[in-house]
Amino acid sequence: MAQTKKKRRRKHRGTQGGRVDPSRRSGRPRTREEAKARARAGRSGSTRVDAPPTWRSSVTRGVVAAVIFTVLLMLLFKRPVGSALALGAFMLVFYIPAGYYIDTMLWRKRERARIRSREKG
């Protein structure tokens, strides 16, 4: 009976003449130094923590927190819908600026520490 499944084969590397370009290798690093260099290169990009806080992220977080708060008031504490929505709206107005200013304070603290570490090293 004929074989129905093809066996997996490795991709061909190099040119028809047999030359393989070592700079295009993306497999496992061969030496410890190469592994360290690759790890350092991967960390160089900007991450979310490095970015300063925005009002948009604070609004998003505040809306999510206020919705959870409102749902918990209605389900767990058996509050009427009107009063739960009113408290949820109040919490939204409280959460947005509080979240933004707390994020700003923490970001400034991280920035100062990052600047100090650059000056030392």
Side-chain angles (χ1 to χ4, degrees):
M1 186 175 198
Q3 184 177 2
T4 57
K5 265 187 160 181
K6 282 189 174 182
K7 282 189 166 186
R8 286 189 184 185
R9 294 184 352 178
R10 286 188 170 197
K11 287 187 175 183
H12 296 288
R13 290 177 55 210
T15 63
Q16 286 181 342
R19 187 167 162 258
V20 177
D21 187 11
S23 65
R24 295 199 49 177
R25 188 176 74 218
S26 63
R28 194 178 64 166
R30 300 292 181 218
T31 63
R32 184 143 178 84
E33 288 77 26
E34 189 180 343
K36 284 181 183 178
R38 194 177 293 181
R40 283 191 200 102
R43 272 190 275 159
S44 65
S46 177
T47 61
R48 184 183 180 283
V49 176
D50 293 342
T54 62
W55 281 103
R56 184 177 186 160
S57 65
S58 298
V59 168
T60 304
R61 192 179 317 117
V63 167
V64 170
V67 167
I68 291 171
F69 182 79
T70 304
V71 169
L72 286 176
L73 279 176
M74 287 189 291
L75 296 179
L76 290 180
F77 298 109
K78 308 287 188 221
R79 293 279 184 197
V81 176
S83 67
L85 288 175
L87 278 170
F90 173 75
M91 292 311 291
L92 179 64
V93 170
F94 176 77
Y95 282 148
I96 292 173
Y100 177 78
Y101 290 117
I102 289 171
D103 283 351
T104 302
M105 181 184 66
L106 294 174
W107 179 77
R108 285 180 181 159
K109 182 179 178 182
R110 283 191 307 268
E111 278 296 303
R112 282 192 299 266
R114 198 173 295 125
I115 290 169
R116 269 189 242 120
S117 70
R118 281 187 203 146
E119 288 173 354
K120 286 182 181 179

